[in-house]
Amino acid sequence: MDFAISISGFVALYVFMLAAFAGWVIIGHVPAILHTPLMSGSNFVHGIVVVGGIFALLNASTVLEQAIGFFAVLLGAGNAAGGYAVTRRMLAMFQTSGPRLKLVHAHAKARHPKHG
Amino acid sequence: MLIMIPQLVIGVADLAAAFLFMYGLQRMSSPATAPSGIFMAGIGMAAAVLASFLYVFSVSAAAQPHLPVNIGLTLAALVIGGGCAWWSGKKVAMTAMPQMVAVYNGMGGGAAGAIAAVELFGGKAQGITQLVVTLLGALIGAVSLSGSLIAWAKLDGVLNKPLRVKGQQICNAVVLLVTLGVGGIIAFAAAGGSAPLLTLPALIYLFFGCALVFGVLMTLPIGGADMPVVISIYNAFTGLAVGLEGFVLQNPALMIAGMVVGAAGMLLTLLMAKAMNRSVANVLLTNFGDTPKHIQGAIKGSLKPVEAGDAGIFIRYAKEVIIVPGYGLAVAQGQQKLYEFVKLLQAAGVTVKFAVHPVAGRMPGQMDVLLAEAGVPYDMIFQLEDINDEFANADVALVIGANDVVNPAARTDKSSPIFGMPILNADKAKKVYVVKRGQGKGYADIVNALFYGDNCDMVYGDAQAVLVKMIEAVRGLGAAAAA
């Protein structure tokens, strides 16, 4: 058995086409209210480039390659970590009024026990 | 047999990552499931990064002696790059999110470009297809890096004026052609031909230099309010570059993730351009100021200024209120005060809804995030197409810091530069209050007919200060009633 991956010519085009189509359909279902987290989230997803950077750096054999590879991993890691951090932060802010309204009512009752 | 185990693990981890990325993005179709979506994508990323260290078992013979150093460099780069970005991402203010996203995006583009550079300098890309794809990814990645950095500088206010000179488009076209030409020579030389004039490394430096310069030139003339389109397009560019480098490295996870993001960025770019009623080419190649000056039709009526407190009390006695927040609200940092005012209204039995225009902000959906940060529940926030018919039934439309997106000329005045742009029909409400800093015009430099309408009053002042006065006035009513 061999697990080496070889993608060439038309196979690559098929992969690209299907991925682009999937992305288009998936993103098309995201409501406009989430467009900013979506953008930072998809930004995070292309942070996977760090894996390519690690591959390039581990296989570097000259100082120049090491320097550029280091740069690639540095930037890729920044892309991934930063994208994840801001997306998580933003998504945590989106709340429904359901539980919040209950809170307001409870608060109002506590403030006016006479009317209760 | 043993040598295959790392390969198998990497393969499985990358496959899982590709699946989790798409599943995670799919879960972003609702605010309720979105947090778990990004968490799943995060697990995918962690798995792929951890597994990628197994590449140490299959490094080329030439790199074998450097392996310990390379592993150390990798760990250092991961910790420094990831750590700094994580820290800044935790700290950044929500209003500064567009420039932060621009920076992260530029980093991704730069990483893709750097990978291409390693492949090119190391002579690892073999065959004409691989060379062309490597160069294409390098070009797009480098443009995305320098372009995103200029976008950051513009959004952060480091560069505050669009830089436009005559013949800029021709200059940009020449730089692009030179870049492509140098790329062609590199492909020819690396494939075995003899490089004319310069050595191969010199050509590669030249290629990256030109690509970076092109990204700068392309972004410099674009104005602040066009930034939603620019950020989306660079997001798509980085995705595309990552996908192409994924092909070069024969890594399907990179190919899939990159192309999914490329398509996503393209879709958002088109949506944003549509919301501004301009084509993508129009945003990138021409400037708003360049549109022929149209003669403003005579506007009937006058501007009627009122006191903030009086407006606040009027709104308090309305039944249904729709609030149109614009970028001016964010500039004045008035979101918290706005929601405080809204809670007062709700307590008094007023129905309040928020109407958000797609380009309210400096990146797609920024206003929604800013409202969410202030604590506004997302079921109170409505998008243009969902709420536009409701303005006719609303007692009051409260426009805060928005201008062009509520200009009825977009519907009625064929000669207006914004004619055809989808707008929020605030003018259809029974009463309109516009909170505005002064009498200046909006970004498009057009007089807003809404402000002169019979049903419209102007409240001049800083959005936050105006809201404080409104809150005080409404609170004063309650106190007077209780006394």
Side-chain angles (χ1 to χ4, degrees), chain B residues 358-440:
Chain B
V359 292
R362 288 293 181 263
M363 73 183 288
Q366 194 194 0
M367 188 49 67
D368 302 285
V369 172
L370 293 174
L371 290 176
E373 187 195 17
V376 179
Y378 61 79
D379 39 36
M380 281 174 70
I381 304 171
F382 295 84
Q383 306 299 319
L384 185 136
E385 60 277 10
D386 301 321
I387 199 160
N388 241 354
D389 295 335
E390 285 190 41
F391 278 104
N393 301 322
D395 300 304
V396 176
L398 175 60
V399 179
I400 306 181
N403 192 341
D404 296 329
V405 297
V406 289
N407 190 344
R411 277 200 320 262
T412 55
D413 182 1
K414 276 194 180 153
S415 66
S416 174
I418 60 166
F419 181 73
M421 177 173 125
I423 59 152
L424 288 161
N425 296 329
D427 58 314
K428 302 233 166 129
K430 293 185 191 92
K431 180 84 200 169
V432 182
Y433 285 108
V434 177
V435 178
K436 218 169 158 301
R437 196 174 260 284
Q439 298 197 354

Side-chain angles (χ1 to χ4, degrees), chain B residues 111-127:
Chain B
I115 291 170
V118 173
E119 297 292 308
L120 289 170
F121 280 118
K124 287 167 189 161
Q126 297 298 325

